[in-house]
Amino acid sequence: MEKKNIDWANLGFGYMQTDKRYVSNFKNGAWDAGALVDDSNIVMSECAGVLQYAQTVFEGLKAYTTDDGHIVTFRPDLNAERMEQSAKRLEMPVFDKGRFVEAVEQVVSANAAFVPPYGSGATLYIRPYMFGISPVIGVKPAEEYQFRVFCTPVGPYFKGGVKPLTIKISDFDRAAPHGTGHIKAGLNYAMSLHAIVTAHEEGYDENMYLDPSTRTKVEETGGANFLFVTKDGKVVTPKSDSILPSITRRSLVHVAKEYLGLTVEEREVYKDELADMAECGLCGTAAVISPVGKIVDHGKEICLASGMSEMGPVTKKLYDTLTGIQMGRIEAPEGWIHVIM
Ligand SMILES: *Cc1c(COP(=O)(O)O)cnc(C)c1O
């Protein structure tokens, strides 16, 4: 298979139209057989549920080329399960887990020429999503839905080297108690746009959101979970009902315990503890771990010991081990690497 003529190393994180995408429609209470299609546009009612009341959920995962030349994805079954949880919370029909993984396989295979080569640092980002497509004007769930998967090649995350982030403790909230913070829904992002644009205008890379009811505990950023390393070398990740269960964070916790022999605590993390942390990172599919160098709490700076020029030593070990597993250089736990071709 001949690869597309793309400058892999200089790709950013943007949308590039690829050859094929997968579409399945839910009508009269059932999903149809689904198929790959050429048309990247969607035609729908002006009154579609997604347009009026934001009834839509999504997932994000990557396909990439391993050391030995296979094209693989990382734990796509967990994306399928999480989309099921998201769909149920928004009163949408569930798209079968097995079919979800098959749809991802089909889209990646059909667009194999867009999967960046091993060593380029670039990956194929895959976006499964589902939305209410039938007309809804009185507030209620739509009757018809569309499930789609498209993909787009994206560049290396740490282009030009790792640059630890400066983040601020936000005065905005990301999720309400007992709300939708734990599901991957576009609505959580729509309401975070003002907060992130504001943070960027003030010179910060990201927001740290606190728990909305007490504003004393760390939740997450707009699109990544936190992972901390204490000064005595323990890995700590915040536990909360209103954070999105990151697959990367869950995988890093396993790596920390089982591969690196570290002590891991998943518990509530208080804002007042931040000054005791040696390292801090943001976990998500995009970067795996993006190190944080500085946290600013209303003008008060908390500088992580790992500094502003590199990943902290434990963060680096976690990063190297998980990316090693993903790329096929380190043996993966059973079921983590899903070979497509
Ligand atoms: C997608 C997402 C993450 C990261 O999850 P991964 O499965 O690791 O990619 C974290 N927080 C939020 C709010 C997200 O939407």
Side-chain angles (χ1 to χ4, degrees), residues 58-61 78-79 82 125 127 174 181 183-185 188-189 220-226 242-251 283-286 288:
F58 70 100
E59 273 302 325
L61 69 161
L78 297 190
N79 295 98
R82 194 168 62 188
Y125 184 75
R127 170 54 58 89
R174 189 191 84 90
I183 62 164
K184 213 164 174 75
N188 290 329
Y189 281 77
E220 61 172 323
T221 68
N225 284 182
F226 280 108
S242 48
I243 66 178
L244 196 279
S246 156
I247 295 164
T248 313
R249 187 251 306 159
R250 287 182 271 163
S251 303
C283 326
T285 294
V288 178

PDB file of all heavy atoms in Angstrom, residues 58-61 78-79 82 125 127 174 181 183-185 188-189 220-226 242-251 283-286 288, ligand 1:
ATOM      1  N   PHE A  58     -19.253  11.645  21.755  1.00  0.00           N
ATOM      2  CA  PHE A  58     -18.144  11.295  20.864  1.00  0.00           C
ATOM      3  C   PHE A  58     -17.078  10.503  21.591  1.00  0.00           C
ATOM      4  O   PHE A  58     -17.106  10.358  22.800  1.00  0.00           O
ATOM      5  CB  PHE A  58     -17.554  12.553  20.217  1.00  0.00           C
ATOM      6  CG  PHE A  58     -16.795  13.459  21.156  1.00  0.00           C
ATOM      7  CD1 PHE A  58     -15.406  13.426  21.200  1.00  0.00           C
ATOM      8  CD2 PHE A  58     -17.462  14.351  21.990  1.00  0.00           C
ATOM      9  CE1 PHE A  58     -14.690  14.274  22.039  1.00  0.00           C
ATOM     10  CE2 PHE A  58     -16.758  15.192  22.843  1.00  0.00           C
ATOM     11  CZ  PHE A  58     -15.376  15.165  22.867  1.00  0.00           C
ATOM     12  N   GLU A  59     -16.127  10.008  20.800  1.00  0.00           N
ATOM     13  CA  GLU A  59     -14.958   9.316  21.326  1.00  0.00           C
ATOM     14  C   GLU A  59     -13.733   9.795  20.565  1.00  0.00           C
ATOM     15  O   GLU A  59     -13.856  10.433  19.513  1.00  0.00           O
ATOM     16  CB  GLU A  59     -15.109   7.789  21.181  1.00  0.00           C
ATOM     17  CG  GLU A  59     -15.837   7.148  22.348  1.00  0.00           C
ATOM     18  CD  GLU A  59     -15.140   7.426  23.683  1.00  0.00           C
ATOM     19  OE1 GLU A  59     -13.897   7.481  23.708  1.00  0.00           O
ATOM     20  OE2 GLU A  59     -15.836   7.600  24.691  1.00  0.00           O
ATOM     21  N   GLY A  60     -12.559   9.470  21.059  1.00  0.00           N
ATOM     22  CA  GLY A  60     -11.326   9.803  20.354  1.00  0.00           C
ATOM     23  C   GLY A  60     -10.295   8.734  20.646  1.00  0.00           C
ATOM     24  O   GLY A  60     -10.107   8.361  21.806  1.00  0.00           O
ATOM     25  N   LEU A  61      -9.683   8.212  19.598  1.00  0.00           N
ATOM     26  CA  LEU A  61      -8.606   7.231  19.779  1.00  0.00           C
ATOM     27  C   LEU A  61      -7.679   7.336  18.579  1.00  0.00           C
ATOM     28  O   LEU A  61      -7.958   8.097  17.644  1.00  0.00           O
ATOM     29  CB  LEU A  61      -9.155   5.819  19.970  1.00  0.00           C
ATOM     30  CG  LEU A  61      -9.839   5.081  18.825  1.00  0.00           C
ATOM     31  CD1 LEU A  61      -9.852   3.602  19.139  1.00  0.00           C
ATOM     32  CD2 LEU A  61     -11.268   5.558  18.611  1.00  0.00           C
ATOM     33  N   LEU A  78     -12.482  -0.107  25.158  1.00  0.00           N
ATOM     34  CA  LEU A  78     -12.810   0.831  26.246  1.00  0.00           C
ATOM     35  C   LEU A  78     -13.496   2.087  25.707  1.00  0.00           C
ATOM     36  O   LEU A  78     -14.358   2.663  26.377  1.00  0.00           O
ATOM     37  CB  LEU A  78     -11.551   1.213  27.045  1.00  0.00           C
ATOM     38  CG  LEU A  78     -10.851   0.075  27.791  1.00  0.00           C
ATOM     39  CD1 LEU A  78      -9.773   0.629  28.722  1.00  0.00           C
ATOM     40  CD2 LEU A  78     -11.835  -0.766  28.601  1.00  0.00           C
ATOM     41  N   ASN A  79     -13.130   2.501  24.499  1.00  0.00           N
ATOM     42  CA  ASN A  79     -13.846   3.622  23.871  1.00  0.00           C
ATOM     43  C   ASN A  79     -15.294   3.233  23.601  1.00  0.00           C
ATOM     44  O   ASN A  79     -16.214   4.040  23.801  1.00  0.00           O
ATOM     45  CB  ASN A  79     -13.171   4.038  22.567  1.00  0.00           C
ATOM     46  CG  ASN A  79     -11.780   4.597  22.778  1.00  0.00           C
ATOM     47  OD1 ASN A  79     -10.788   3.897  22.632  1.00  0.00           O
ATOM     48  ND2 ASN A  79     -11.689   5.851  23.149  1.00  0.00           N
ATOM     49  N   ARG A  82     -17.180   3.267  26.844  1.00  0.00           N
ATOM     50  CA  ARG A  82     -17.409   4.628  27.331  1.00  0.00           C
ATOM     51  C   ARG A  82     -18.477   5.322  26.501  1.00  0.00           C
ATOM     52  O   ARG A  82     -19.307   6.071  27.033  1.00  0.00           O
ATOM     53  CB  ARG A  82     -16.087   5.401  27.310  1.00  0.00           C
ATOM     54  CG  ARG A  82     -16.145   6.690  28.087  1.00  0.00           C
ATOM     55  CD  ARG A  82     -14.761   7.279  28.297  1.00  0.00           C
ATOM     56  NE  ARG A  82     -14.117   7.619  27.032  1.00  0.00           N
ATOM     57  CZ  ARG A  82     -12.850   8.007  26.930  1.00  0.00           C
ATOM     58  NH1 ARG A  82     -12.079   8.103  27.994  1.00  0.00           N
ATOM     59  NH2 ARG A  82     -12.341   8.318  25.752  1.00  0.00           N
ATOM     60  N   TYR A 125      -5.753  10.010  13.951  1.00  0.00           N
ATOM     61  CA  TYR A 125      -6.742  10.248  14.999  1.00  0.00           C
ATOM     62  C   TYR A 125      -8.113   9.777  14.498  1.00  0.00           C
ATOM     63  O   TYR A 125      -8.505  10.077  13.372  1.00  0.00           O
ATOM     64  CB  TYR A 125      -6.797  11.739  15.344  1.00  0.00           C
ATOM     65  CG  TYR A 125      -7.731  12.051  16.502  1.00  0.00           C
ATOM     66  CD1 TYR A 125      -7.352  11.745  17.802  1.00  0.00           C
ATOM     67  CD2 TYR A 125      -8.983  12.618  16.284  1.00  0.00           C
ATOM     68  CE1 TYR A 125      -8.208  12.002  18.868  1.00  0.00           C
ATOM     69  CE2 TYR A 125      -9.837  12.881  17.336  1.00  0.00           C
ATOM     70  CZ  TYR A 125      -9.438  12.574  18.629  1.00  0.00           C
ATOM     71  OH  TYR A 125     -10.286  12.835  19.674  1.00  0.00           O
ATOM     72  N   ARG A 127     -12.265   9.501  15.144  1.00  0.00           N
ATOM     73  CA  ARG A 127     -13.338  10.169  15.858  1.00  0.00           C
ATOM     74  C   ARG A 127     -14.675   9.448  15.624  1.00  0.00           C
ATOM     75  O   ARG A 127     -15.339   9.690  14.619  1.00  0.00           O
ATOM     76  CB  ARG A 127     -13.412  11.631  15.380  1.00  0.00           C
ATOM     77  CG  ARG A 127     -14.612  12.453  15.810  1.00  0.00           C
ATOM     78  CD  ARG A 127     -14.836  12.477  17.302  1.00  0.00           C
ATOM     79  NE  ARG A 127     -13.741  12.974  18.103  1.00  0.00           N
ATOM     80  CZ  ARG A 127     -13.535  14.243  18.436  1.00  0.00           C
ATOM     81  NH1 ARG A 127     -14.340  15.170  18.019  1.00  0.00           N
ATOM     82  NH2 ARG A 127     -12.519  14.573  19.220  1.00  0.00           N
ATOM     83  N   ARG A 174     -16.342  23.181  35.208  1.00  0.00           N
ATOM     84  CA  ARG A 174     -16.471  22.332  34.018  1.00  0.00           C
ATOM     85  C   ARG A 174     -17.713  21.463  34.077  1.00  0.00           C
ATOM     86  O   ARG A 174     -18.368  21.200  33.075  1.00  0.00           O
ATOM     87  CB  ARG A 174     -15.244  21.423  33.887  1.00  0.00           C
ATOM     88  CG  ARG A 174     -15.162  20.665  32.578  1.00  0.00           C
ATOM     89  CD  ARG A 174     -14.086  19.596  32.601  1.00  0.00           C
ATOM     90  NE  ARG A 174     -14.586  18.385  33.209  1.00  0.00           N
ATOM     91  CZ  ARG A 174     -15.187  17.389  32.556  1.00  0.00           C
ATOM     92  NH1 ARG A 174     -15.353  17.458  31.244  1.00  0.00           N
ATOM     93  NH2 ARG A 174     -15.629  16.331  33.186  1.00  0.00           N
ATOM     94  N   GLY A 181     -20.304  15.546  33.683  1.00  0.00           N
ATOM     95  CA  GLY A 181     -18.842  15.620  33.585  1.00  0.00           C
ATOM     96  C   GLY A 181     -18.173  14.301  33.279  1.00  0.00           C
ATOM     97  O   GLY A 181     -17.068  14.268  32.734  1.00  0.00           O
ATOM     98  N   ILE A 183     -19.214  11.944  31.208  1.00  0.00           N
ATOM     99  CA  ILE A 183     -19.455  11.391  29.867  1.00  0.00           C
ATOM    100  C   ILE A 183     -18.773  12.270  28.823  1.00  0.00           C
ATOM    101  O   ILE A 183     -18.511  13.451  29.054  1.00  0.00           O
ATOM    102  CB  ILE A 183     -20.962  11.247  29.547  1.00  0.00           C
ATOM    103  CG1 ILE A 183     -21.657  12.607  29.552  1.00  0.00           C
ATOM    104  CG2 ILE A 183     -21.615  10.248  30.504  1.00  0.00           C
ATOM    105  CD1 ILE A 183     -23.020  12.581  28.882  1.00  0.00           C
ATOM    106  N   LYS A 184     -18.502  11.655  27.681  1.00  0.00           N
ATOM    107  CA  LYS A 184     -17.811  12.387  26.626  1.00  0.00           C
ATOM    108  C   LYS A 184     -18.853  12.963  25.678  1.00  0.00           C
ATOM    109  O   LYS A 184     -19.244  12.339  24.699  1.00  0.00           O
ATOM    110  CB  LYS A 184     -16.845  11.450  25.892  1.00  0.00           C
ATOM    111  CG  LYS A 184     -15.611  12.153  25.395  1.00  0.00           C
ATOM    112  CD  LYS A 184     -14.505  11.192  25.039  1.00  0.00           C
ATOM    113  CE  LYS A 184     -13.339  11.922  24.404  1.00  0.00           C
ATOM    114  NZ  LYS A 184     -12.528  12.687  25.355  1.00  0.00           N
ATOM    115  N   ALA A 185     -19.308  14.156  26.027  1.00  0.00           N
ATOM    116  CA  ALA A 185     -20.375  14.800  25.281  1.00  0.00           C
ATOM    117  C   ALA A 185     -19.907  16.181  24.841  1.00  0.00           C
ATOM    118  O   ALA A 185     -19.236  16.886  25.600  1.00  0.00           O
ATOM    119  CB  ALA A 185     -21.627  14.926  26.151  1.00  0.00           C
ATOM    120  N   ASN A 188     -20.161  19.356  27.123  1.00  0.00           N
ATOM    121  CA  ASN A 188     -19.136  19.693  28.120  1.00  0.00           C
ATOM    122  C   ASN A 188     -18.049  20.578  27.525  1.00  0.00           C
ATOM    123  O   ASN A 188     -17.376  21.316  28.245  1.00  0.00           O
ATOM    124  CB  ASN A 188     -18.475  18.427  28.671  1.00  0.00           C
ATOM    125  CG  ASN A 188     -19.413  17.615  29.538  1.00  0.00           C
ATOM    126  OD1 ASN A 188     -20.297  18.168  30.189  1.00  0.00           O
ATOM    127  ND2 ASN A 188     -19.222  16.311  29.546  1.00  0.00           N
ATOM    128  N   TYR A 189     -17.873  20.455  26.228  1.00  0.00           N
ATOM    129  CA  TYR A 189     -16.848  21.251  25.555  1.00  0.00           C
ATOM    130  C   TYR A 189     -17.376  22.616  25.161  1.00  0.00           C
ATOM    131  O   TYR A 189     -16.666  23.613  25.239  1.00  0.00           O
ATOM    132  CB  TYR A 189     -16.318  20.486  24.341  1.00  0.00           C
ATOM    133  CG  TYR A 189     -15.326  19.422  24.754  1.00  0.00           C
ATOM    134  CD1 TYR A 189     -15.747  18.223  25.313  1.00  0.00           C
ATOM    135  CD2 TYR A 189     -13.968  19.650  24.644  1.00  0.00           C
ATOM    136  CE1 TYR A 189     -14.837  17.264  25.726  1.00  0.00           C
ATOM    137  CE2 TYR A 189     -13.042  18.700  25.051  1.00  0.00           C
ATOM    138  CZ  TYR A 189     -13.492  17.499  25.591  1.00  0.00           C
ATOM    139  OH  TYR A 189     -12.580  16.571  26.006  1.00  0.00           O
ATOM    140  N   GLU A 220     -10.238  18.119  36.738  1.00  0.00           N
ATOM    141  CA  GLU A 220      -9.416  17.863  35.540  1.00  0.00           C
ATOM    142  C   GLU A 220      -9.299  19.133  34.721  1.00  0.00           C
ATOM    143  O   GLU A 220      -9.727  20.197  35.156  1.00  0.00           O
ATOM    144  CB  GLU A 220      -9.993  16.707  34.730  1.00  0.00           C
ATOM    145  CG  GLU A 220     -11.397  16.922  34.196  1.00  0.00           C
ATOM    146  CD  GLU A 220     -11.835  15.800  33.240  1.00  0.00           C
ATOM    147  OE1 GLU A 220     -11.003  15.304  32.461  1.00  0.00           O
ATOM    148  OE2 GLU A 220     -13.009  15.435  33.272  1.00  0.00           O
ATOM    149  N   THR A 221      -8.720  19.036  33.525  1.00  0.00           N
ATOM    150  CA  THR A 221      -8.703  20.187  32.621  1.00  0.00           C
ATOM    151  C   THR A 221      -9.879  20.014  31.663  1.00  0.00           C
ATOM    152  O   THR A 221     -10.692  19.109  31.848  1.00  0.00           O
ATOM    153  CB  THR A 221      -7.386  20.255  31.816  1.00  0.00           C
ATOM    154  OG1 THR A 221      -7.350  19.151  30.913  1.00  0.00           O
ATOM    155  CG2 THR A 221      -6.178  20.213  32.727  1.00  0.00           C
ATOM    156  N   GLY A 222      -9.949  20.818  30.630  1.00  0.00           N
ATOM    157  CA  GLY A 222     -11.059  20.710  29.691  1.00  0.00           C
ATOM    158  C   GLY A 222     -11.089  19.374  28.961  1.00  0.00           C
ATOM    159  O   GLY A 222     -12.153  18.891  28.603  1.00  0.00           O
ATOM    160  N   GLY A 223      -9.930  18.762  28.757  1.00  0.00           N
ATOM    161  CA  GLY A 223      -9.894  17.552  27.952  1.00  0.00           C
ATOM    162  C   GLY A 223      -8.856  16.539  28.383  1.00  0.00           C
ATOM    163  O   GLY A 223      -8.484  15.662  27.607  1.00  0.00           O
ATOM    164  N   ALA A 224      -8.398  16.620  29.624  1.00  0.00           N
ATOM    165  CA  ALA A 224      -7.397  15.646  30.102  1.00  0.00           C
ATOM    166  C   ALA A 224      -7.491  15.493  31.613  1.00  0.00           C
ATOM    167  O   ALA A 224      -7.829  16.445  32.321  1.00  0.00           O
ATOM    168  CB  ALA A 224      -5.991  16.094  29.714  1.00  0.00           C
ATOM    169  N   ASN A 225      -7.191  14.293  32.091  1.00  0.00           N
ATOM    170  CA  ASN A 225      -7.169  14.006  33.536  1.00  0.00           C
ATOM    171  C   ASN A 225      -5.799  14.375  34.108  1.00  0.00           C
ATOM    172  O   ASN A 225      -4.798  14.365  33.399  1.00  0.00           O
ATOM    173  CB  ASN A 225      -7.385  12.511  33.796  1.00  0.00           C
ATOM    174  CG  ASN A 225      -8.828  12.046  33.620  1.00  0.00           C
ATOM    175  OD1 ASN A 225      -9.107  10.864  33.839  1.00  0.00           O
ATOM    176  ND2 ASN A 225      -9.756  12.938  33.245  1.00  0.00           N
ATOM    177  N   PHE A 226      -5.759  14.657  35.402  1.00  0.00           N
ATOM    178  CA  PHE A 226      -4.480  14.934  36.066  1.00  0.00           C
ATOM    179  C   PHE A 226      -3.844  13.668  36.599  1.00  0.00           C
ATOM    180  O   PHE A 226      -4.537  12.728  37.024  1.00  0.00           O
ATOM    181  CB  PHE A 226      -4.686  15.888  37.255  1.00  0.00           C
ATOM    182  CG  PHE A 226      -4.797  17.319  36.843  1.00  0.00           C
ATOM    183  CD1 PHE A 226      -6.018  17.971  36.895  1.00  0.00           C
ATOM    184  CD2 PHE A 226      -3.680  18.016  36.406  1.00  0.00           C
ATOM    185  CE1 PHE A 226      -6.134  19.297  36.508  1.00  0.00           C
ATOM    186  CE2 PHE A 226      -3.786  19.348  36.015  1.00  0.00           C
ATOM    187  CZ  PHE A 226      -5.019  19.988  36.069  1.00  0.00           C
ATOM    188  N   SER A 242     -17.370  13.357  38.712  1.00  0.00           N
ATOM    189  CA  SER A 242     -17.644  14.292  37.617  1.00  0.00           C
ATOM    190  C   SER A 242     -16.454  14.484  36.684  1.00  0.00           C
ATOM    191  O   SER A 242     -16.442  15.422  35.891  1.00  0.00           O
ATOM    192  CB  SER A 242     -18.154  15.620  38.164  1.00  0.00           C
ATOM    193  OG  SER A 242     -17.347  16.071  39.213  1.00  0.00           O
ATOM    194  N   ILE A 243     -15.439  13.600  36.770  1.00  0.00           N
ATOM    195  CA  ILE A 243     -14.387  13.668  35.746  1.00  0.00           C
ATOM    196  C   ILE A 243     -14.582  12.547  34.732  1.00  0.00           C
ATOM    197  O   ILE A 243     -15.167  11.520  35.023  1.00  0.00           O
ATOM    198  CB  ILE A 243     -12.948  13.654  36.338  1.00  0.00           C
ATOM    199  CG1 ILE A 243     -12.615  12.335  37.014  1.00  0.00           C
ATOM    200  CG2 ILE A 243     -12.753  14.828  37.281  1.00  0.00           C
ATOM    201  CD1 ILE A 243     -11.197  12.300  37.553  1.00  0.00           C
ATOM    202  N   LEU A 244     -14.052  12.797  33.544  1.00  0.00           N
ATOM    203  CA  LEU A 244     -14.191  11.822  32.457  1.00  0.00           C
ATOM    204  C   LEU A 244     -13.174  10.694  32.700  1.00  0.00           C
ATOM    205  O   LEU A 244     -11.994  10.978  32.893  1.00  0.00           O
ATOM    206  CB  LEU A 244     -13.901  12.563  31.141  1.00  0.00           C
ATOM    207  CG  LEU A 244     -14.289  11.992  29.794  1.00  0.00           C
ATOM    208  CD1 LEU A 244     -13.299  10.972  29.306  1.00  0.00           C
ATOM    209  CD2 LEU A 244     -15.691  11.425  29.756  1.00  0.00           C
ATOM    210  N   PRO A 245     -13.609   9.457  32.692  1.00  0.00           N
ATOM    211  CA  PRO A 245     -12.660   8.363  32.938  1.00  0.00           C
ATOM    212  C   PRO A 245     -11.713   8.147  31.760  1.00  0.00           C
ATOM    213  O   PRO A 245     -12.013   7.380  30.843  1.00  0.00           O
ATOM    214  CB  PRO A 245     -13.553   7.150  33.192  1.00  0.00           C
ATOM    215  CG  PRO A 245     -14.878   7.483  32.588  1.00  0.00           C
ATOM    216  CD  PRO A 245     -15.008   8.970  32.570  1.00  0.00           C
ATOM    217  N   SER A 246     -10.581   8.826  31.803  1.00  0.00           N
ATOM    218  CA  SER A 246      -9.592   8.772  30.720  1.00  0.00           C
ATOM    219  C   SER A 246      -9.002   7.369  30.600  1.00  0.00           C
ATOM    220  O   SER A 246      -8.559   6.780  31.591  1.00  0.00           O
ATOM    221  CB  SER A 246      -8.471   9.785  31.016  1.00  0.00           C
ATOM    222  OG  SER A 246      -7.272   9.430  30.362  1.00  0.00           O
ATOM    223  N   ILE A 247      -8.964   6.864  29.390  1.00  0.00           N
ATOM    224  CA  ILE A 247      -8.381   5.541  29.133  1.00  0.00           C
ATOM    225  C   ILE A 247      -6.859   5.612  29.301  1.00  0.00           C
ATOM    226  O   ILE A 247      -6.230   4.696  29.806  1.00  0.00           O
ATOM    227  CB  ILE A 247      -8.786   5.061  27.722  1.00  0.00           C
ATOM    228  CG1 ILE A 247     -10.307   4.848  27.687  1.00  0.00           C
ATOM    229  CG2 ILE A 247      -8.039   3.796  27.322  1.00  0.00           C
ATOM    230  CD1 ILE A 247     -10.909   4.738  26.294  1.00  0.00           C
ATOM    231  N   THR A 248      -6.286   6.743  28.913  1.00  0.00           N
ATOM    232  CA  THR A 248      -4.845   6.939  29.086  1.00  0.00           C
ATOM    233  C   THR A 248      -4.485   6.932  30.571  1.00  0.00           C
ATOM    234  O   THR A 248      -3.542   6.256  30.983  1.00  0.00           O
ATOM    235  CB  THR A 248      -4.420   8.287  28.467  1.00  0.00           C
ATOM    236  OG1 THR A 248      -4.999   8.397  27.170  1.00  0.00           O
ATOM    237  CG2 THR A 248      -2.919   8.411  28.386  1.00  0.00           C
ATOM    238  N   ARG A 249      -5.253   7.657  31.377  1.00  0.00           N
ATOM    239  CA  ARG A 249      -4.971   7.711  32.819  1.00  0.00           C
ATOM    240  C   ARG A 249      -5.111   6.320  33.433  1.00  0.00           C
ATOM    241  O   ARG A 249      -4.254   5.881  34.205  1.00  0.00           O
ATOM    242  CB  ARG A 249      -5.917   8.712  33.500  1.00  0.00           C
ATOM    243  CG  ARG A 249      -5.603   8.963  34.965  1.00  0.00           C
ATOM    244  CD  ARG A 249      -6.638   8.345  35.907  1.00  0.00           C
ATOM    245  NE  ARG A 249      -7.990   8.763  35.598  1.00  0.00           N
ATOM    246  CZ  ARG A 249      -9.048   8.086  35.976  1.00  0.00           C
ATOM    247  NH1 ARG A 249      -8.934   6.960  36.657  1.00  0.00           N
ATOM    248  NH2 ARG A 249     -10.257   8.521  35.641  1.00  0.00           N
ATOM    249  N   ARG A 250      -6.168   5.590  33.067  1.00  0.00           N
ATOM    250  CA  ARG A 250      -6.352   4.243  33.624  1.00  0.00           C
ATOM    251  C   ARG A 250      -5.195   3.333  33.204  1.00  0.00           C
ATOM    252  O   ARG A 250      -4.716   2.509  33.982  1.00  0.00           O
ATOM    253  CB  ARG A 250      -7.697   3.670  33.172  1.00  0.00           C
ATOM    254  CG  ARG A 250      -8.891   4.334  33.896  1.00  0.00           C
ATOM    255  CD  ARG A 250     -10.205   3.702  33.464  1.00  0.00           C
ATOM    256  NE  ARG A 250     -10.770   4.372  32.294  1.00  0.00           N
ATOM    257  CZ  ARG A 250     -11.718   3.846  31.513  1.00  0.00           C
ATOM    258  NH1 ARG A 250     -12.191   2.634  31.756  1.00  0.00           N
ATOM    259  NH2 ARG A 250     -12.201   4.532  30.491  1.00  0.00           N
ATOM    260  N   SER A 251      -4.712   3.502  31.972  1.00  0.00           N
ATOM    261  CA  SER A 251      -3.594   2.681  31.492  1.00  0.00           C
ATOM    262  C   SER A 251      -2.298   3.055  32.220  1.00  0.00           C
ATOM    263  O   SER A 251      -1.492   2.183  32.557  1.00  0.00           O
ATOM    264  CB  SER A 251      -3.417   2.869  29.984  1.00  0.00           C
ATOM    265  OG  SER A 251      -4.622   2.543  29.316  1.00  0.00           O
ATOM    266  N   CYS A 283      -3.203  13.780  31.281  1.00  0.00           N
ATOM    267  CA  CYS A 283      -3.276  12.515  30.535  1.00  0.00           C
ATOM    268  C   CYS A 283      -4.449  12.493  29.581  1.00  0.00           C
ATOM    269  O   CYS A 283      -5.580  12.755  29.971  1.00  0.00           O
ATOM    270  CB  CYS A 283      -3.480  11.315  31.457  1.00  0.00           C
ATOM    271  SG  CYS A 283      -2.713  11.432  33.023  1.00  0.00           S
ATOM    272  N   GLY A 284      -4.171  12.093  28.366  1.00  0.00           N
ATOM    273  CA  GLY A 284      -5.212  11.934  27.362  1.00  0.00           C
ATOM    274  C   GLY A 284      -4.608  11.328  26.107  1.00  0.00           C
ATOM    275  O   GLY A 284      -3.378  11.273  25.966  1.00  0.00           O
ATOM    276  N   THR A 285      -5.483  10.895  25.221  1.00  0.00           N
ATOM    277  CA  THR A 285      -5.047  10.245  23.991  1.00  0.00           C
ATOM    278  C   THR A 285      -4.083  11.124  23.181  1.00  0.00           C
ATOM    279  O   THR A 285      -3.117  10.618  22.628  1.00  0.00           O
ATOM    280  CB  THR A 285      -6.285   9.898  23.136  1.00  0.00           C
ATOM    281  OG1 THR A 285      -7.025   8.921  23.856  1.00  0.00           O
ATOM    282  CG2 THR A 285      -5.922   9.343  21.779  1.00  0.00           C
ATOM    283  N   ALA A 286      -4.350  12.413  23.133  1.00  0.00           N
ATOM    284  CA  ALA A 286      -3.575  13.308  22.271  1.00  0.00           C
ATOM    285  C   ALA A 286      -2.085  13.270  22.607  1.00  0.00           C
ATOM    286  O   ALA A 286      -1.251  13.060  21.737  1.00  0.00           O
ATOM    287  CB  ALA A 286      -4.107  14.729  22.360  1.00  0.00           C
ATOM    288  N   VAL A 288      -0.630  11.548  25.493  1.00  0.00           N
ATOM    289  CA  VAL A 288      -0.318  10.515  26.492  1.00  0.00           C
ATOM    290  C   VAL A 288      -0.121  11.206  27.841  1.00  0.00           C
ATOM    291  O   VAL A 288      -0.990  11.126  28.698  1.00  0.00           O
ATOM    292  CB  VAL A 288       0.859   9.587  26.117  1.00  0.00           C
ATOM    293  CG1 VAL A 288       1.143   8.591  27.221  1.00  0.00           C
ATOM    294  CG2 VAL A 288       0.511   8.837  24.827  1.00  0.00           C
TER     295      VAL A 288
HETATM  296  C1  LIG B   1     -11.394  12.521  26.217  1.00  0.00           C
HETATM  297  C2  LIG B   1     -11.171  13.197  27.524  1.00  0.00           C
HETATM  298  C3  LIG B   1     -10.108  12.860  28.376  1.00  0.00           C
HETATM  299  C4  LIG B   1      -9.027  11.890  27.991  1.00  0.00           C
HETATM  300  O1  LIG B   1      -9.474  10.590  27.811  1.00  0.00           O
HETATM  301  P1  LIG B   1      -8.611   9.520  27.009  1.00  0.00           P
HETATM  302  O2  LIG B   1      -9.482   8.335  26.949  1.00  0.00           O
HETATM  303  O3  LIG B   1      -7.376   9.267  27.794  1.00  0.00           O
HETATM  304  O4  LIG B   1      -8.305  10.128  25.689  1.00  0.00           O
HETATM  305  C5  LIG B   1     -10.031  13.496  29.601  1.00  0.00           C
HETATM  306  N1  LIG B   1     -10.942  14.422  29.978  1.00  0.00           N
HETATM  307  C6  LIG B   1     -11.963  14.778  29.176  1.00  0.00           C
HETATM  308  C7  LIG B   1     -12.910  15.799  29.646  1.00  0.00           C
HETATM  309  C8  LIG B   1     -12.111  14.182  27.931  1.00  0.00           C
HETATM  310  O5  LIG B   1     -13.128  14.545  27.150  1.00  0.00           O
END
